[in-house]
PDB file of all heavy atoms in Angstrom:
ATOM      1  N   ARG A 394     -36.185 -29.943 -30.090  1.00 90.00           N
ATOM      2  CA  ARG A 394     -35.391 -30.819 -30.823  1.00 90.00           C
ATOM      3  C   ARG A 394     -36.192 -31.459 -31.996  1.00 90.00           C
ATOM      4  O   ARG A 394     -37.225 -32.032 -31.700  1.00 90.00           O
ATOM      5  CB  ARG A 394     -34.799 -31.931 -29.997  1.00 90.00           C
ATOM      6  CG  ARG A 394     -33.351 -31.715 -29.566  1.00 90.00           C
ATOM      7  CD  ARG A 394     -32.907 -32.681 -28.553  1.00 90.00           C
ATOM      8  NE  ARG A 394     -32.704 -33.995 -29.152  1.00 90.00           N
ATOM      9  CZ  ARG A 394     -32.150 -34.937 -28.526  1.00 90.00           C
ATOM     10  NH1 ARG A 394     -31.775 -34.837 -27.168  1.00 90.00           N
ATOM     11  NH2 ARG A 394     -31.971 -36.101 -29.073  1.00 90.00           N
ATOM     12  N   ARG A 476     -23.647 -31.507 -21.241  1.00 97.00           N
ATOM     13  CA  ARG A 476     -24.257 -31.257 -22.626  1.00 97.00           C
ATOM     14  C   ARG A 476     -25.018 -30.107 -22.642  1.00 97.00           C
ATOM     15  O   ARG A 476     -25.937 -29.902 -21.760  1.00 97.00           O
ATOM     16  CB  ARG A 476     -24.993 -32.508 -23.071  1.00 97.00           C
ATOM     17  CG  ARG A 476     -24.188 -33.711 -23.128  1.00 97.00           C
ATOM     18  CD  ARG A 476     -24.950 -34.903 -23.684  1.00 97.00           C
ATOM     19  NE  ARG A 476     -24.112 -36.096 -23.613  1.00 97.00           N
ATOM     20  CZ  ARG A 476     -24.563 -37.436 -23.879  1.00 97.00           C
ATOM     21  NH1 ARG A 476     -25.775 -37.551 -24.377  1.00 97.00           N
ATOM     22  NH2 ARG A 476     -23.748 -38.409 -23.800  1.00 97.00           N
ATOM     23  N   GLU A 478     -27.860 -28.988 -23.537  1.00 93.00           N
ATOM     24  CA  GLU A 478     -29.163 -29.588 -24.135  1.00 93.00           C
ATOM     25  C   GLU A 478     -30.081 -28.480 -24.458  1.00 93.00           C
ATOM     26  O   GLU A 478     -30.225 -27.429 -23.796  1.00 93.00           O
ATOM     27  CB  GLU A 478     -29.805 -30.433 -22.989  1.00 93.00           C
ATOM     28  CG  GLU A 478     -29.052 -31.667 -22.552  1.00 93.00           C
ATOM     29  CD  GLU A 478     -29.184 -32.795 -23.565  1.00 93.00           C
ATOM     30  OE1 GLU A 478     -29.880 -32.716 -24.581  1.00 93.00           O
ATOM     31  OE2 GLU A 478     -28.485 -33.888 -23.299  1.00 93.00           O
ATOM     32  N   ILE A 485     -34.979 -33.982 -13.266  1.00 97.00           N
ATOM     33  CA  ILE A 485     -33.537 -34.210 -13.494  1.00 97.00           C
ATOM     34  C   ILE A 485     -33.319 -35.145 -14.700  1.00 97.00           C
ATOM     35  O   ILE A 485     -32.250 -35.729 -14.881  1.00 97.00           O
ATOM     36  CB  ILE A 485     -32.878 -34.709 -12.277  1.00 97.00           C
ATOM     37  CG1 ILE A 485     -33.531 -36.038 -11.736  1.00 97.00           C
ATOM     38  CG2 ILE A 485     -32.824 -33.715 -11.152  1.00 97.00           C
ATOM     39  CD1 ILE A 485     -32.706 -36.704 -10.584  1.00 97.00           C
ATOM     40  N   PHE A 486     -34.407 -35.409 -15.479  1.00 97.00           N
ATOM     41  CA  PHE A 486     -34.251 -36.468 -16.528  1.00 97.00           C
ATOM     42  C   PHE A 486     -33.185 -36.024 -17.565  1.00 97.00           C
ATOM     43  O   PHE A 486     -32.296 -36.897 -17.900  1.00 97.00           O
ATOM     44  CB  PHE A 486     -35.611 -36.681 -17.233  1.00 97.00           C
ATOM     45  CG  PHE A 486     -35.486 -37.637 -18.411  1.00 97.00           C
ATOM     46  CD1 PHE A 486     -35.518 -38.998 -18.101  1.00 97.00           C
ATOM     47  CD2 PHE A 486     -35.332 -37.160 -19.655  1.00 97.00           C
ATOM     48  CE1 PHE A 486     -35.357 -39.876 -19.207  1.00 97.00           C
ATOM     49  CE2 PHE A 486     -35.234 -38.103 -20.771  1.00 97.00           C
ATOM     50  CZ  PHE A 486     -35.245 -39.457 -20.453  1.00 97.00           C
ATOM     51  N   ARG A 487     -33.307 -34.790 -18.103  1.00 97.00           N
ATOM     52  CA  ARG A 487     -32.340 -34.385 -19.078  1.00 97.00           C
ATOM     53  C   ARG A 487     -31.747 -33.036 -18.624  1.00 97.00           C
ATOM     54  O   ARG A 487     -32.451 -32.019 -18.611  1.00 97.00           O
ATOM     55  CB  ARG A 487     -32.979 -34.182 -20.387  1.00 97.00           C
ATOM     56  CG  ARG A 487     -32.051 -33.799 -21.587  1.00 97.00           C
ATOM     57  CD  ARG A 487     -32.874 -33.610 -22.835  1.00 97.00           C
ATOM     58  NE  ARG A 487     -33.537 -34.703 -23.215  1.00 97.00           N
ATOM     59  CZ  ARG A 487     -32.859 -35.885 -23.780  1.00 97.00           C
ATOM     60  NH1 ARG A 487     -31.605 -35.715 -24.117  1.00 97.00           N
ATOM     61  NH2 ARG A 487     -33.583 -36.881 -24.123  1.00 97.00           N
ATOM     62  N   THR A 488     -30.431 -32.992 -18.272  1.00 97.00           N
ATOM     63  CA  THR A 488     -29.829 -31.856 -17.645  1.00 97.00           C
ATOM     64  C   THR A 488     -28.546 -31.509 -18.410  1.00 97.00           C
ATOM     65  O   THR A 488     -28.087 -32.367 -19.181  1.00 97.00           O
ATOM     66  CB  THR A 488     -29.533 -32.013 -16.107  1.00 97.00           C
ATOM     67  OG1 THR A 488     -28.828 -33.353 -16.037  1.00 97.00           O
ATOM     68  CG2 THR A 488     -30.805 -32.231 -15.320  1.00 97.00           C
ATOM     69  N   PHE A 491     -24.569 -33.654 -15.626  1.00 98.00           N
ATOM     70  CA  PHE A 491     -25.136 -34.951 -15.129  1.00 98.00           C
ATOM     71  C   PHE A 491     -24.034 -35.881 -14.892  1.00 98.00           C
ATOM     72  O   PHE A 491     -22.796 -35.512 -15.096  1.00 98.00           O
ATOM     73  CB  PHE A 491     -26.181 -35.511 -16.046  1.00 98.00           C
ATOM     74  CG  PHE A 491     -25.709 -35.735 -17.461  1.00 98.00           C
ATOM     75  CD1 PHE A 491     -25.365 -37.039 -17.929  1.00 98.00           C
ATOM     76  CD2 PHE A 491     -25.631 -34.694 -18.424  1.00 98.00           C
ATOM     77  CE1 PHE A 491     -24.880 -37.239 -19.158  1.00 98.00           C
ATOM     78  CE2 PHE A 491     -25.136 -34.947 -19.726  1.00 98.00           C
ATOM     79  CZ  PHE A 491     -24.751 -36.167 -20.124  1.00 98.00           C
ATOM     80  N   GLN A 493     -22.543 -39.936 -15.339  1.00 98.00           N
ATOM     81  CA  GLN A 493     -22.732 -41.179 -16.115  1.00 98.00           C
ATOM     82  C   GLN A 493     -22.018 -42.324 -15.539  1.00 98.00           C
ATOM     83  O   GLN A 493     -21.086 -42.072 -14.766  1.00 98.00           O
ATOM     84  CB  GLN A 493     -22.179 -41.014 -17.565  1.00 98.00           C
ATOM     85  CG  GLN A 493     -22.875 -40.159 -18.460  1.00 98.00           C
ATOM     86  CD  GLN A 493     -22.390 -40.102 -19.905  1.00 98.00           C
ATOM     87  OE1 GLN A 493     -21.190 -40.008 -20.072  1.00 98.00           O
ATOM     88  NE2 GLN A 493     -23.293 -40.265 -20.773  1.00 98.00           N
ATOM     89  N   GLU A 495     -20.226 -45.593 -16.973  1.00 98.00           N
ATOM     90  CA  GLU A 495     -19.996 -46.188 -18.281  1.00 98.00           C
ATOM     91  C   GLU A 495     -18.927 -47.356 -18.183  1.00 98.00           C
ATOM     92  O   GLU A 495     -18.065 -47.169 -17.420  1.00 98.00           O
ATOM     93  CB  GLU A 495     -19.478 -45.168 -19.377  1.00 98.00           C
ATOM     94  CG  GLU A 495     -20.516 -44.135 -19.665  1.00 98.00           C
ATOM     95  CD  GLU A 495     -20.256 -43.399 -20.860  1.00 98.00           C
ATOM     96  OE1 GLU A 495     -19.128 -42.764 -20.980  1.00 98.00           O
ATOM     97  OE2 GLU A 495     -21.045 -43.352 -21.837  1.00 98.00           O
ATOM     98  N   GLU A 560     -35.322 -43.478 -22.456  1.00 97.00           N
ATOM     99  CA  GLU A 560     -34.014 -44.115 -22.395  1.00 97.00           C
ATOM    100  C   GLU A 560     -33.386 -44.118 -20.916  1.00 97.00           C
ATOM    101  O   GLU A 560     -33.415 -43.010 -20.345  1.00 97.00           O
ATOM    102  CB  GLU A 560     -33.070 -43.547 -23.339  1.00 97.00           C
ATOM    103  CG  GLU A 560     -31.676 -44.136 -23.211  1.00 97.00           C
ATOM    104  CD  GLU A 560     -30.674 -43.621 -24.298  1.00 97.00           C
ATOM    105  OE1 GLU A 560     -31.082 -43.149 -25.360  1.00 97.00           O
ATOM    106  OE2 GLU A 560     -29.470 -43.735 -24.065  1.00 97.00           O
ATOM    107  N   LEU A 561     -32.929 -45.213 -20.490  1.00 98.00           N
ATOM    108  CA  LEU A 561     -32.311 -45.245 -19.180  1.00 98.00           C
ATOM    109  C   LEU A 561     -30.825 -45.544 -19.376  1.00 98.00           C
ATOM    110  O   LEU A 561     -30.007 -44.897 -18.764  1.00 98.00           O
ATOM    111  CB  LEU A 561     -32.906 -46.361 -18.338  1.00 98.00           C
ATOM    112  CG  LEU A 561     -32.410 -46.650 -16.940  1.00 98.00           C
ATOM    113  CD1 LEU A 561     -32.640 -45.453 -16.119  1.00 98.00           C
ATOM    114  CD2 LEU A 561     -33.119 -47.860 -16.338  1.00 98.00           C
ATOM    115  N   GLU A 562     -30.524 -46.460 -20.255  1.00 98.00           N
ATOM    116  CA  GLU A 562     -29.199 -46.898 -20.500  1.00 98.00           C
ATOM    117  C   GLU A 562     -29.031 -47.343 -21.955  1.00 98.00           C
ATOM    118  O   GLU A 562     -29.964 -47.837 -22.520  1.00 98.00           O
ATOM    119  CB  GLU A 562     -28.883 -48.099 -19.592  1.00 98.00           C
ATOM    120  CG  GLU A 562     -27.595 -48.784 -19.877  1.00 98.00           C
ATOM    121  CD  GLU A 562     -27.047 -49.732 -18.735  1.00 98.00           C
ATOM    122  OE1 GLU A 562     -27.560 -49.720 -17.643  1.00 98.00           O
ATOM    123  OE2 GLU A 562     -26.149 -50.483 -19.107  1.00 98.00           O
ATOM    124  N   GLY A 563     -27.895 -47.134 -22.485  1.00 98.00           N
ATOM    125  CA  GLY A 563     -27.609 -47.662 -23.842  1.00 98.00           C
ATOM    126  C   GLY A 563     -26.531 -48.640 -23.841  1.00 98.00           C
ATOM    127  O   GLY A 563     -25.490 -48.619 -22.976  1.00 98.00           O
ATOM    128  N   HIS A 565     -24.171 -50.472 -26.415  1.00 96.00           N
ATOM    129  CA  HIS A 565     -23.730 -50.214 -27.936  1.00 96.00           C
ATOM    130  C   HIS A 565     -22.606 -51.047 -28.407  1.00 96.00           C
ATOM    131  O   HIS A 565     -21.578 -51.355 -27.593  1.00 96.00           O
ATOM    132  CB  HIS A 565     -23.236 -48.732 -28.023  1.00 96.00           C
ATOM    133  CG  HIS A 565     -24.218 -47.737 -27.553  1.00 96.00           C
ATOM    134  ND1 HIS A 565     -23.822 -46.620 -26.640  1.00 96.00           N
ATOM    135  CD2 HIS A 565     -25.609 -47.642 -27.560  1.00 96.00           C
ATOM    136  CE1 HIS A 565     -24.996 -45.991 -26.406  1.00 96.00           C
ATOM    137  NE2 HIS A 565     -25.982 -46.541 -26.911  1.00 96.00           N
ATOM    138  N   SER A 603     -23.789 -47.817 -21.257  1.00 98.00           N
ATOM    139  CA  SER A 603     -23.674 -46.434 -20.761  1.00 98.00           C
ATOM    140  C   SER A 603     -24.981 -45.932 -20.057  1.00 98.00           C
ATOM    141  O   SER A 603     -25.986 -45.841 -20.710  1.00 98.00           O
ATOM    142  CB  SER A 603     -23.414 -45.498 -21.994  1.00 98.00           C
ATOM    143  OG  SER A 603     -23.542 -44.185 -21.617  1.00 98.00           O
ATOM    144  N   ALA A 604     -24.885 -45.819 -18.684  1.00 98.00           N
ATOM    145  CA  ALA A 604     -26.077 -45.437 -18.012  1.00 98.00           C
ATOM    146  C   ALA A 604     -25.927 -44.101 -17.338  1.00 98.00           C
ATOM    147  O   ALA A 604     -24.807 -43.718 -17.052  1.00 98.00           O
ATOM    148  CB  ALA A 604     -26.315 -46.581 -16.883  1.00 98.00           C
ATOM    149  N   GLY A 605     -27.015 -43.414 -17.160  1.00 98.00           N
ATOM    150  CA  GLY A 605     -26.955 -42.189 -16.505  1.00 98.00           C
ATOM    151  C   GLY A 605     -27.138 -42.395 -14.943  1.00 98.00           C
ATOM    152  O   GLY A 605     -28.060 -43.116 -14.612  1.00 98.00           O
ATOM    153  N   THR A 607     -27.529 -39.929 -12.604  1.00 98.00           N
ATOM    154  CA  THR A 607     -28.609 -39.004 -12.129  1.00 98.00           C
ATOM    155  C   THR A 607     -29.928 -39.509 -12.680  1.00 98.00           C
ATOM    156  O   THR A 607     -30.981 -39.400 -12.109  1.00 98.00           O
ATOM    157  CB  THR A 607     -28.326 -37.625 -12.445  1.00 98.00           C
ATOM    158  OG1 THR A 607     -27.699 -37.488 -13.855  1.00 98.00           O
ATOM    159  CG2 THR A 607     -27.299 -37.044 -11.532  1.00 98.00           C
ATOM    160  N   ARG A 608     -29.927 -40.063 -13.892  1.00 98.00           N
ATOM    161  CA  ARG A 608     -31.240 -40.621 -14.557  1.00 98.00           C
ATOM    162  C   ARG A 608     -31.621 -41.778 -13.781  1.00 98.00           C
ATOM    163  O   ARG A 608     -32.835 -42.034 -13.662  1.00 98.00           O
ATOM    164  CB  ARG A 608     -31.088 -40.826 -16.116  1.00 98.00           C
ATOM    165  CG  ARG A 608     -32.372 -40.905 -16.708  1.00 98.00           C
ATOM    166  CD  ARG A 608     -32.277 -41.012 -18.228  1.00 98.00           C
ATOM    167  NE  ARG A 608     -31.910 -39.712 -18.795  1.00 98.00           N
ATOM    168  CZ  ARG A 608     -31.826 -39.517 -20.064  1.00 98.00           C
ATOM    169  NH1 ARG A 608     -31.995 -40.570 -20.916  1.00 98.00           N
ATOM    170  NH2 ARG A 608     -31.636 -38.326 -20.595  1.00 98.00           N
TER     171      ARG A 608
HETATM  172  P1  ATP B 283     -30.541 -38.476 -26.123  1.00 93.72           P
HETATM  173  O1  ATP B 283     -30.600 -38.986 -27.527  1.00 93.72           O
HETATM  174  O2  ATP B 283     -31.814 -38.826 -25.422  1.00 93.72           O
HETATM  175  O3  ATP B 283     -30.042 -37.057 -25.986  1.00 93.72           O
HETATM  176  P2  ATP B 283     -28.233 -40.099 -25.976  1.00 93.72           P
HETATM  177  O4  ATP B 283     -28.821 -41.348 -26.586  1.00 93.72           O
HETATM  178  O5  ATP B 283     -27.296 -39.137 -26.717  1.00 93.72           O
HETATM  179  O6  ATP B 283     -29.481 -39.388 -25.354  1.00 93.72           O
HETATM  180  P3  ATP B 283     -26.181 -41.352 -24.595  1.00 93.72           P
HETATM  181  O7  ATP B 283     -25.095 -40.583 -25.137  1.00 93.72           O
HETATM  182  O8  ATP B 283     -26.296 -42.744 -25.084  1.00 93.72           O
HETATM  183  O9  ATP B 283     -27.554 -40.532 -24.643  1.00 93.72           O
HETATM  184  O10 ATP B 283     -25.923 -41.301 -23.106  1.00 93.72           O
HETATM  185  C1  ATP B 283     -25.876 -42.443 -22.212  1.00 93.72           C
HETATM  186  C2  ATP B 283     -26.735 -42.357 -20.985  1.00 93.72           C
HETATM  187  O11 ATP B 283     -26.319 -41.062 -20.360  1.00 93.72           O
HETATM  188  C3  ATP B 283     -28.246 -42.196 -21.396  1.00 93.72           C
HETATM  189  O12 ATP B 283     -28.852 -43.415 -21.413  1.00 93.72           O
HETATM  190  C4  ATP B 283     -28.740 -41.370 -20.102  1.00 93.72           C
HETATM  191  O13 ATP B 283     -29.036 -42.248 -19.071  1.00 93.72           O
HETATM  192  C5  ATP B 283     -27.591 -40.520 -19.763  1.00 93.72           C
HETATM  193  N1  ATP B 283     -27.672 -39.146 -20.240  1.00 93.72           N
HETATM  194  C6  ATP B 283     -27.393 -38.718 -21.548  1.00 93.72           C
HETATM  195  N2  ATP B 283     -27.768 -37.423 -21.718  1.00 93.72           N
HETATM  196  C7  ATP B 283     -28.152 -36.959 -20.416  1.00 93.72           C
HETATM  197  C8  ATP B 283     -28.642 -35.701 -19.993  1.00 93.72           C
HETATM  198  N3  ATP B 283     -28.690 -34.626 -20.647  1.00 93.72           N
HETATM  199  N4  ATP B 283     -29.113 -35.640 -18.730  1.00 93.72           N
HETATM  200  C9  ATP B 283     -29.073 -36.758 -17.907  1.00 93.72           C
HETATM  201  N5  ATP B 283     -28.601 -37.950 -18.291  1.00 93.72           N
HETATM  202  C10 ATP B 283     -28.194 -38.068 -19.554  1.00 93.72           C
END
Side-chain angles (χ1 to χ4, degrees):
R394 257 174 74 169
R476 296 182 187 179
E478 297 282 359
I485 57 172
F486 178 80
R487 183 182 301 284
T488 52
F491 58 101
Q493 289 186 313
E495 295 196 303
E560 175 178 340
L561 179 63
E562 163 163 357
H565 307 135
S603 175
T607 42
R608 194 171 287 182

